[in-house]
Amino acid sequence: MPVLPVLQPRSLSVGFVAGVTPGKWVARWRERHPGVDLELHPYDDDAALPALKDAGIDVLFVRLPIERQGLHVIPLYEEQAVVVMSRENELSLYEEVALTELHAENRLGIEECGGPKAAVEVAASGAGVVVLPMSLARLHMRKDAVHRPVPELPGTVIGIAWRKGDESPDVEEFIGIVRGRTERSSRQPSAQEPAEAKRSASQKAAAKKAGSQGAGGKGAGGKHSGAKPVQGKSKKASPPRRGRRR
């Protein structure tokens, strides 16, 4: 007798870089597909793309631009650029900072400081200022530092990426959720399943119960049919009509 393969439980692994919050899409996935486990994996910017290309994860939320060879990439939204500085810096008095105001400041390099977190620490010390996406500035914010928008600087685009040739139904389903497709969208793989496969356990149980009651000889309007009468207003009896007096 041949040995049948053991079916592994379905799962989807989602990676994201620091500052990205995929919570709303993850919540929708878990609401629609509670039987398919979704695993979240945070990455530093430099480690995220190799994890996707090496098939360590299925989809990735990443800052663009990236090397797109072998990948599908969809831009999602743009992050505001901000400047992080010490609370003692005069620029902290502004609600927004003009680009020309930064010319007189010591602009810190993120990589030279050892990453965004270390760059915020250096800026908080008063040694200079650093420009970051707002999400990273908030993530690494300190009590001795502040950040202000710089409207003239281009923002950073966040996108979602996945491997070409690896468009499994679960990956396509998640991409559709991120793109805002509803559960009933004809482009969602789950909406293309046979109707019988999409019926919930409660629906099947209700149908089975109705069938067994019907086999017992109860009519559609019988005592146990489950049908409820329409609750209309009762009509009042009209008084007898009297003849006209002559």
Side-chain angles (χ1 to χ4, degrees), residues 17 33 36 72 80 83 88 93 194 209 216 219 222-223 237 239 245:
V17 296
H33 306 286
V36 182
H72 296 289
Q80 171 72 56
V83 57
E88 305 300 323
L93 301 176
K209 182 178 180 180
K223 182 178 179 181
R245 291 183 181 181

Side-chain angles (χ1 to χ4, degrees), residues 136-221:
L136 286 179
R138 289 175 173 173
L139 178 65
H140 302 302
M141 189 45 56
R142 299 161 50 94
K143 293 182 179 180
D144 51 356
V146 296
H147 64 271
R148 296 290 183 263
V150 186
E152 296 168 87
L153 288 178
T156 304
V157 177
I158 298 295
I160 188 169
W162 68 102
R163 294 179 299 277
K164 291 183 178 179
D166 194 16
E167 298 90 350
S168 69
D170 286 337
V171 169
E172 290 187 5
E173 185 80 9
F174 186 76
I175 298 300
I177 289 175
V178 172
R179 300 187 76 170
R181 295 176 190 156
T182 65
E183 189 173 6
R184 297 181 180 180
S185 172
S186 60
R187 300 186 66 182
Q188 288 293 86
S190 59
Q192 301 171 11
E193 296 176 2
E196 179 67 22
K198 293 191 291 184
R199 295 170 69 189
S200 66
S202 59
Q203 289 174 317
K204 293 179 181 179
K208 183 177 180 181
K209 182 178 180 180
S212 63
Q213 290 176 348
K218 301 294 182 180

Side-chain angles (χ1 to χ4, degrees), residues 26-84:
V26 172
R28 288 176 191 168
W29 173 272
R30 289 172 175 166
E31 178 182 343
R32 297 184 191 180
H33 306 286
V36 182
D37 187 32
L38 188 149
E39 302 172 352
L40 288 172
H41 302 276
Y43 290 98
D44 293 331
D45 284 6
D46 57 350
L49 199 57
L52 177 62
K53 292 188 173 182
D54 295 342
I57 52 178
D58 297 312
V59 296
L60 173 67
F61 290 96
V62 65
R63 286 187 177 83
L64 304 181
I66 59 172
E67 172 54 54
R68 298 192 176 204
Q69 184 176 1
L71 299 176
H72 296 289
V73 180
I74 299 176
L76 296 177
Y77 61 90
E78 186 176 278
E79 297 178 297
Q80 171 72 56
V82 300
V83 57
V84 182

